[in-house]
């Protein structure tokens, strides 16, 4: 039996996969979630085999139900995103004390002890304010591709305050500003400021010990990164693949379990 | 292993309407009550039948939102929704309603309810003390007179004292059943405990209910002696506090138990909040009722130190490993108390609290599951 383990992070926007072999990461991949989550999971797992899968993300229970029967994927377990992100962030940055993850529909802040144990976490309430969804929505409203939205906002020449955090109301506010002839870049900046402010207050509730690791797709947005750095007075560490941190953490959890088991067998 | 006597409680709510049919035919009025402050003893002593009406389901909420603001607690919207949609058979069965001026949302909603059915309002003071007690006793008297004129029956001192005795007995038995969860292996899941105590709102005959509780307690005690448990071993012990929870709004309790925890004690109104507040069985029964209800540690009271001391006691007795503080969205009183509860539980008992603010819909179920599982992982 191979000791290959993989972690799969099924988020609302993307599904991430990390395959860990003897020598470390063998393969990784991220695809959009789409409306048919299970179909995408199957596509992601095409040709992959191992002895243990660990699922995380909002689709983890669905995954467990569908693939939990022993078969090609060996054993299937799940862990929460909170643990997965903490584990993933620590593996990439061994001294990390705080993780900020802004995903498609959730924003989480996780505080860890110097030893890496999760001590507290905060998660946004159900609404999408302050998450990737909000940015996506606003990028569409301003007719800018999502992956260029942050750069676009950085072209602002002034900072205007958008007071609504509700996705629907913020769009109304943005439309009003457009009607008043405000530059689109400035409106985009206002929307980014609104998110950064909201995230900062979440971080404030938990207390932010550096180093802070910023994971999740929104970590690719240069404007959010810049605003957080200004607001927190520290530069967040950004992984090369910020949206694979959860999948990496899940896979590492599986690895740890395996080695615990084999050490038990050795006794 | 689930105790066999629990089955009898499962069906109680469904049987209630059939059970009261002959009594109604014989002329008994049904009085709908909404909260723990309602003195059901007075209702019974007037020969009427009390029934709990507090709304616990999502279904009638959209109808209620046509009149009530959407940003109001789901419990209030659900209660009102049931009243106007004619979809709650208990509400339909009620001839009269009684409400207490507890939180702002509820008391204003009662003004609308008064247009649907005859409604009596009791004005609740928001503090304990001699003056408040005298005032609340006067409100008990006003309610007594209301019931007497509505039913045409006189409430005698002896009759009222007898009802107090019966309700005290019910509370003692509920406390005895709950007490069993303090053992290392709880013979009862939180969901089952909830069903057992909720049934008290739907009993036509509290004496028969007391007898059922006695049987259940005996069976559970035997199970506990034999080391049989109603929950999985290793389940994290959770103390639940906050807003009332019931059949239909048990989402958080269910998620907790699905995630491998067990609610060993519920401090809220639907749980232990008033089980051990017994009314004095001698002396003036109206004073006894006023005194008992006035010290219910509900968040509408100010100050509400009683909640913290009740949490202290439950922590010592039930040795929870974590606390879940549930607030229904827009319930200001419980929401505002939340940081106080969190700080107290951590500072005094070293226990972490997960504060959950949600409503009756299932929209956030998976998000809540993540938060709950992550919380349990931390314990
Ligand atoms: S929480 Fe307070 S207002 Fe609500 S039912 Fe309980 S006693 Fe009544
Ligand atoms: S849950 Fe809160 S807002 Fe709702 S009725 Fe009870 S006290 Fe009022």
């Amino acid at each position: 039996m191979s000791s290959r383990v993989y972690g799969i992070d099924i988020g609302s926007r993307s599904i991430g996969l990390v395959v860990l072999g003897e020598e470390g990461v063998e393969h990784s991949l991220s695809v959009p979630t789409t409306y048919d989550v299970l179909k995408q999971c199957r596509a992601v797992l095409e040709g992959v085999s191992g002895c243990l899968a660990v699922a995380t993300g909002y689709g983890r229970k669905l995954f467990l139900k569908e693939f939990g029967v022993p078969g090609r994927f060996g054993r299937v377990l799940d862990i929460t995103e909170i643990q997965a992100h903490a584990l993933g962030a620590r593996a990439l940055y061994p001294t990390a004390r705080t993780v900020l993850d802004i995903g498609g529909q959730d924003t989480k802040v996780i505080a860890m002890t110097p030893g890496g144990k999760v001590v507290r976490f905060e998660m946004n309430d159900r609404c999408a304010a302050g998450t990737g969804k909000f940015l996506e929505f606003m990028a569409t409203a301003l007719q800018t591709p999502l992956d260029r939205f942050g750069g676009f906002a950085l072209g602002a020449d002034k900072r205007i305050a958008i007071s609504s955090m509700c996705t629907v109301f913020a769009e109304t506010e943005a439309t009003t500003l457009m009607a008043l002839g405000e530059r689109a870049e400035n409106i985009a900046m206002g929307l980014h400021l609104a998110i950064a402010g909201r995230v900062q207050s979440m971080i404030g509730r938990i207390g932010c010990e550096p180093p802070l690791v910023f994971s999740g797709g929104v970590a690719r947005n240069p404007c959010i990164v810049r605003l957080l750095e200004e607001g927190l007075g520290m530069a967040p560490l950004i992984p090369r693949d910020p949206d694979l941190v959860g999948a990496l953490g899940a896979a590492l959890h599986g690895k740890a379990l395996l080695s615990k088991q084999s050490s038990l067998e050795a006794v | 292993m689930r105790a066999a006597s629990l089955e009898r409680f499962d069906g109680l709510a469904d049987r209630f309407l059939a059970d009261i049919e002959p009594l109604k035919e014989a002329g008994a009025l049904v009085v709908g009550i909404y909260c723990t402050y309602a003195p059901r003893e007075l209702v019974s002593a007037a020969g009427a039948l009390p029934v709990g009406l507090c709304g616990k389901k999502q279904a009638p909420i959209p109808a209620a939102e046509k009149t009530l603001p959407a940003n109001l607690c789901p419990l209030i919207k659900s209660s009102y929704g049931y009243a106007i949609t004619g979809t709650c058979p208990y509400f339909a069965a009620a001839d009269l309603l009684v409400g207490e001026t507890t939180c702002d949302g509820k008391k204003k909603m009662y003004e609308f309810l008064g247009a649907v059915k005859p409604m009596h309002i009791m004005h609740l003071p928001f503090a304990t003390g001699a003056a408040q007690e005298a005032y609340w006793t006067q409100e008990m008297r006003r309610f007594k007179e209301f019931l007497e004129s509505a039913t045409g029956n006189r409430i005698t001192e002896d009759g009222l004292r007898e009802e107090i005795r019966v309700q005290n007995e019910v509370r003692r038995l509920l406390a005895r059943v709950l007490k069993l969860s303090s053992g290392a292996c709880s013979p009862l899941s939180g969901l089952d405990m909830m069903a057992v105590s909720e049934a008290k709102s739907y009993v036509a005959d509290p004496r028969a209910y007391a007898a059922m509780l006695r049987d259940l307690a005996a069976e559970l005690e035997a199970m506990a002696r034999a080391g049989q448990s109603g929950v999985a071993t290793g389940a994290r012990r959770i103390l639940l506090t906050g807003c009332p929870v019931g059949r239909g709004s048990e989402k958080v309790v269910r998620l907790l138990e699905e995630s491998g925890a067990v609610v060993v004690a519920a401090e809220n109104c639907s749980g232990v909040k008033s089980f051990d507040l017994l009314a004095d069985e001698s002396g003036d029964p109206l004073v006894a009722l006023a005194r008992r209800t006035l010290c219910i540690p509900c968040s509408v009271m100010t100050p509400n130190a009683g909640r913290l001391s009740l949490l202290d006691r439950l922590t010592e007795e039930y040795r929870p490993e974590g606390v879940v503080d549930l607030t229904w969205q827009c319930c200001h009183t419980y929401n505002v108390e939340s940081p106080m509860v969190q700080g107290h539980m951590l500072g005094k008992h070293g226990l972490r609290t997960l504060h959950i603010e949600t409503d009756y819909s299932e929209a956030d179920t998976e998000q809540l599951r993540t938060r709950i599982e992550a919380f349990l992982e931390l314990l």
Side-chain angles (χ1 to χ4, degrees):
Chain A
M1 191 63 155
S2 86
S3 62
R4 197 180 294 123
V5 171
Y6 51 99
I8 182 161
D9 180 359
I10 305 148
S12 66
R13 254 203 74 81
S14 67
I15 297 178
L17 173 79
V18 168
V19 182
L20 285 179
E22 295 296 343
E23 311 293 326
V25 178
E26 282 183 358
H27 170 61
S28 68
L29 165 77
S30 170
V31 299
T33 303
T34 75
Y35 61 89
D36 193 345
V37 183
L38 287 174
K39 192 171 148 213
Q40 282 296 75
C41 288
R42 260 182 226 111
V44 163
L45 294 170
E46 200 50 55
V48 174
S49 69
C51 65
L52 179 62
V54 179
T56 189
Y58 98 109
R60 69 190 188 283
K61 296 289 174 194
L62 185 68
F63 186 88
L64 205 60
K65 218 163 109 201
E66 185 71 14
F67 302 101
V69 275
R72 174 155 74 99
F73 308 116
R75 258 168 78 213
V76 180
L77 305 171
D78 73 313
I79 57 169
T80 62
E81 294 97 293
I82 311 290
Q83 290 299 335
H85 279 271
L87 286 169
R90 284 291 285 208
L92 297 169
Y93 304 98
T95 57
R97 292 290 304 279
T98 313
V99 184
L100 164 66
D101 167 53
I102 309 186
Q105 71 184 10
D106 289 324
T107 298
K108 316 177 221 358
V109 185
I110 306 160
M112 297 176 290
T113 59
K117 213 169 124 14
V118 175
V119 272
R120 277 188 310 280
F121 67 92
E122 274 278 334
M123 230 169 124
N124 61 307
D125 288 327
R126 67 175 74 181
C127 96
T131 69
K133 198 91 226 148
F134 180 86
L135 279 173
E136 196 181 328
F137 206 81
M138 295 310 154
T140 313
L142 291 175
Q143 292 163 19
T144 312
L146 181 62
D147 54 355
R148 285 193 13 232
F149 195 40
F152 181 72
L154 285 174
D157 55 21
K158 71 172 184 221
R159 294 198 170 182
I160 44 178
I162 302 265
S163 43
S164 300
M165 260 327 294
C166 161
T167 310
V168 179
F169 288 150
E171 194 195 10
T172 313
E173 229 179 306
T175 319
T176 310
L177 287 165
M178 277 184 249
L180 290 174
E182 187 57 78
R183 280 181 73 217
E185 287 87 341
N186 294 348
I187 299 175
M189 173 55 97
L191 292 163
H192 280 77
L193 278 165
I195 291 209
R198 173 135 174 153
V199 169
Q200 250 166 266
S201 73
M202 253 172 101
I203 295 180
R205 277 203 293 279
I206 267 215
C208 184
E209 286 288 335
L212 164 73
V213 177
F214 186 4
S215 67
V218 176
R220 288 218 179 82
N221 179 311
C223 185
I224 294 285
V225 173
R226 162 106 50 102
L227 293 177
L228 281 178
E229 186 172 342
E230 275 175 25
L232 298 170
M234 67 170 95
L237 302 168
I238 298 172
R240 199 186 57 203
D241 292 312
D243 38 15
L244 286 177
V245 176
L248 173 66
L252 288 166
H253 178 71
K255 268 277 177 223
L257 279 183
L258 273 195
S259 65
K260 213 195 273 168
Q261 254 169 21
S262 58
S263 69
L264 278 180
E265 276 154 21
V267 179
Chain B
M1 192 177 134
R2 187 172 188 255
S5 0
L6 282 171
E7 257 165 51
R8 296 165 65 194
F9 290 87
D10 294 340
L12 268 189
D14 302 326
R15 261 205 331 270
F16 176 75
L17 293 167
D19 285 353
I20 62 167
E21 206 41 54
L23 301 167
K24 282 197 76 159
E25 259 162 43
L29 295 183
V30 176
V31 179
I33 59 183
Y34 284 94
C35 130
T36 326
Y37 287 106
R40 56 174 64 232
E41 292 90 338
L42 269 170
V43 176
S44 313
L49 299 158
V51 60
L53 290 180
C54 195
K56 288 166 185 151
K57 293 197 176 139
Q58 172 70 20
I61 288 182
E65 285 180 350
K66 286 188 192 144
T67 310
L68 298 175
N71 56 345
L72 196 61
C73 130
L75 198 154
I76 302 176
K77 288 188 292 189
S78 179
S79 300
Y80 184 64
Y82 271 133
I84 55 167
T85 54
T87 49
C88 170
Y90 307 104
F91 187 86
D95 301 292
L96 309 167
L97 307 172
V98 59
E100 306 72 29
T101 52
T102 50
C103 66
D104 290 352
K106 227 178 189 177
K107 68 189 175 210
K108 295 310 282 184
M109 183 272 281
Y110 288 148
E111 293 175 15
F112 287 101
L113 265 192
V116 186
K117 290 212 175 185
M119 163 117 225
H120 178 84
I121 299 283
M122 297 178 73
H123 291 264
L124 178 74
F126 295 137
T128 50
Q132 287 82 355
E133 199 179 291
Y135 178 77
W136 189 227
T137 307
Q138 188 51 38
E139 285 297 293
M140 290 287 167
R141 188 159 297 121
R142 242 179 18 92
F143 184 44
K144 170 175 175 278
E145 284 155 11
F146 168 81
L147 286 167
E148 286 178 332
S149 77
T151 60
N153 299 332
R154 217 174 72 76
I155 298 176
T156 65
E157 260 200 48
D158 283 347
L160 184 53
R161 213 168 274 133
E162 172 58 14
E163 295 304 329
I164 288 181
R165 213 192 46 72
V166 172
Q167 288 301 330
N168 274 349
E169 180 62 5
V170 164
R171 290 178 197 118
R172 270 190 218 104
L173 286 163
L174 280 169
R176 180 172 146 202
V177 168
L178 181 73
K179 182 79 196 138
L180 287 160
S181 296
S182 64
C185 63
S186 167
L188 200 59
S189 76
L191 281 171
D192 281 336
M193 182 64 217
M194 206 179 77
V196 168
S197 58
E198 191 173 26
K200 71 175 180 295
S201 312
Y202 304 102
V203 284
D205 178 3
R207 289 162 187 83
Y209 175 58
M212 286 167 60
L213 287 173
R214 217 169 281 124
D215 292 346
L216 175 67
E219 187 190 351
L220 292 174
E221 280 156 5
M223 277 175 71
R225 272 195 304 275
Q228 288 162 337
S229 167
V231 300
T233 41
R236 294 290 193 186
R237 303 170 66 85
I238 298 296
L239 171 59
L240 179 73
T241 180
C243 295
V245 177
R247 220 169 46 143
S249 65
E250 77 281 21
K251 173 170 77 177
V252 170
V253 180
R254 182 171 35 86
L255 284 172
L256 274 164
E257 301 205 330
E258 278 175 12
S259 307
V262 56
V263 174
V264 287
E267 179 275 337
N268 52 21
C269 260
S270 40
V272 77
K273 189 157 244 144
S274 68
F275 287 179
D276 63 341
L277 291 174
L278 301 181
D280 182 8
E281 294 177 19
S282 57
D284 182 341
L286 287 182
V287 174
L289 285 178
R291 205 167 271 166
R292 179 191 111 77
T293 41
L294 206 54
C295 49
I296 292 172
C298 169
S299 62
V300 301
M301 289 290 156
T302 181
N304 183 32
R307 183 170 174 206
L308 296 185
S309 29
L310 179 55
L311 285 170
D312 286 345
R313 233 199 49 226
L314 294 176
T315 302
E316 272 143 36
E317 277 178 31
Y318 294 86
R319 303 175 323 282
E321 294 161 272
V323 182
V324 170
D325 181 18
L326 171 64
T327 308
W328 295 130
Q329 243 163 35
C330 304
C331 171
H332 302 322
T333 54
Y334 277 102
N335 221 346
V336 171
E337 281 193 1
S338 183
M340 171 182 93
V341 168
Q342 286 182 45
H344 180 82
M345 296 314 286
L346 190 65
K348 182 150 179 188
H349 303 287
L351 286 178
R352 286 176 204 280
T353 303
L354 175 68
H355 180 221
I356 291 177
E357 196 186 343
T358 182
D359 63 7
Y360 292 179
S361 75
E362 294 290 329
D364 57 350
T365 305
E366 291 314 308
Q367 214 220 23
L368 285 181
R369 191 190 304 278
T370 300
R371 293 183 60 189
I372 286 172
E373 286 185 5
F375 177 68
L376 295 175
E377 282 167 349
L378 292 194
L379 298 181

